[in-house]
Amino acid sequence: MKLEYYTLDVFTDRLFGGNPLAVFTDARGVSPELMQTIAREMNLSESVFVLPPRETDSLCRLRIFTPGLELPFAGHPTVGTAYLLALLGRAQAEAPTGRTRIVLEEEAGHVPVSIEWHDGKPLSTQLSAPAIATYGPEPPSPAALAAMLSLSTEDISVGRYGPQAVRCGPLFTFVPLRSLQALTRARLKLDLWQSTLERFWAPHVFLFCRDPDAPGSSVRARMFAPLMGIVEDPATGAAASGLGAYLGVREATADGTTQWVIEQGIEMGRPSLMRVEADTRGGQVVAVRVGGQSVLVGKGQLFLDDSSH
């Protein structure tokens, strides 16, 4: 049995930036257990397995795996897979330049994706989060979070912009930091993460500050997810969705749409840019969208024998 796959770099416009992704374009006959084994073998933040849709209004169905577990929804796999499907002609442009909309089925539900075309080629893709964000219980204390991150308590923002647990897909504890210098020197201590967050409602950690480097960026971020088998992630679209919900309730001054550009992966040598939009009504976030560019990197085949199944 041969499984064809493509690799892409997502949330970047250049090779070897952004977040790497493997997409298996025809995963019919592959069990979820084997998908998990393959994702562990690929050893990327996520691997995607494309299946026929269950409903006629969807383009296809995605199963998304990190090296450690399956995700019901994830950002860079959705954005990158939509871009690849457009490149392969499985998603069609309505006009040479403009936007088309597709729907991808994921375990969390239907995920609408907008594809931007230029001269008949896909330029960027933007997902709409499949669920409105929910907010979790009070996170551990700033002192406990700081110790877990090899920081001082003074490095953690408190008050209105304090730590908060948010679900917009996977569960993240958002930890706002006071400075770029603190964000850069943060180091996750695995033993303290195990005692502080591993059994908490939102075990994955998303750090951010408001003094980024790149012109036009509004947020600098880092993400750690030991439970997923990810030491650090260079671009996390699902977390960006949650951050849109976090910031939207704090910064939207009226009903409408607020935008941010998040830079991530700088400390890893894989710079990434994610564009986030949050729609607010009556002070509540009612929709979040995350988008960016992707680059095709390579193509290969995985050879499976009977012992693999």
Side-chain angles (χ1 to χ4, degrees):
M1 182 180 181
K2 298 177 183 179
L3 287 182
E4 186 173 84
Y5 68 91
Y6 294 81
T7 59
L8 303 98
D9 290 336
V10 183
F11 291 124
T12 182
D13 62 356
R14 63 201 63 190
L15 281 173
F16 313 131
N19 200 346
L21 177 70
V23 181
F24 292 83
T25 50
D26 184 359
R28 287 175 294 180
V30 181
S31 69
E33 294 77 16
L34 182 54
M35 292 178 185
Q36 183 66 79
T37 300
I38 292 170
R40 204 158 42 238
E41 176 73 14
M42 301 304 291
N43 201 31
L44 301 175
S45 294
E46 279 103 355
S47 296
V48 176
F49 299 85
V50 181
L51 297 162
R54 287 174 171 154
E55 299 183 18
T56 55
D57 62 344
S58 303
L59 182 64
C60 58
R61 183 161 65 102
L62 309 185
R63 300 287 294 265
I64 303 169
F65 290 80
T66 76
L69 50 81
E70 182 175 10
L71 297 178
F73 161 72
H76 103 274
T78 302
V79 166
T81 301
Y83 176 80
L84 177 64
L85 295 173
L87 273 183
L88 298 178
R90 291 172 65 173
Q92 301 286 336
E94 296 174 0
T97 298
R99 288 184 175 270
T100 54
R101 180 182 178 274
I102 62 172
V103 176
L104 301 176
E105 295 177 16
E106 301 184 16
E107 295 302 291
H110 288 62
V111 182
V113 181
S114 173
I115 303 171
E116 182 180 359
W117 302 84
H118 182 72
D119 290 338
K121 298 179 180 179
L123 179 63
S124 64
T125 48
Q126 181 193 61
L127 67 84
S128 296
I132 296 174
T134 56
Y135 304 90
E138 188 74 18
S141 69
L145 294 171
M148 180 189 75
L149 296 166
S150 309
L151 298 174
S152 67
T153 304
E154 291 72 27
D155 290 320
I156 310 289
S157 293
V158 295
R160 180 171 173 78
Y161 282 86
Q164 186 173 25
V166 182
R167 178 176 189 167
C168 200
L171 298 150
F172 288 93
T173 294
F174 290 88
V175 183
L177 301 180
R178 296 184 184 276
S179 69
L180 177 59
Q181 197 248 8
L183 184 106
T184 300
R185 61 184 167 85
R187 298 291 182 273
L188 185 70
K189 294 181 178 178
L190 186 59
D191 59 337
L192 293 184
W193 170 82
Q194 290 171 330
S195 60
T196 304
L197 279 187
E198 183 175 20
R199 294 176 179 82
F200 180 59
W201 184 80
H204 317 307
V205 189
F206 196 78
L207 313 181
F208 70 95
C209 68
R210 300 308 298 269
D211 49 349
D213 274 343
S217 295
S218 43
V219 176
R220 172 81 157 262
R222 297 177 70 186
M223 195 282 269
F224 308 104
L227 203 61
M228 295 184 187
I230 300 171
V231 176
E232 182 169 355
D233 198 38
T236 317
S241 299
L243 186 63
Y246 175 100
L247 294 174
V249 296
R250 292 164 170 81
E251 299 185 358
T253 55
D255 291 354
T257 301
T258 309
Q259 301 177 335
W260 304 269
V261 178
I262 302 173
E263 61 182 39
Q264 191 179 333
I266 314 298
E267 291 75 15
M268 302 177 66
R270 300 196 65 97
S272 310
L273 286 178
M274 299 177 285
R275 302 184 183 279
V276 181
E277 300 175 351
D279 297 339
T280 50
R281 301 286 183 274
Q284 300 298 313
V285 174
V286 295
V288 179
R289 294 173 294 281
V290 178
Q293 294 180 262
S294 300
V295 178
L296 182 64
V297 177
K299 177 182 178 180
Q301 288 183 325
L302 198 66
F303 301 100
L304 302 175
D305 58 24
D306 291 339
S307 65
S308 306
H309 296 261

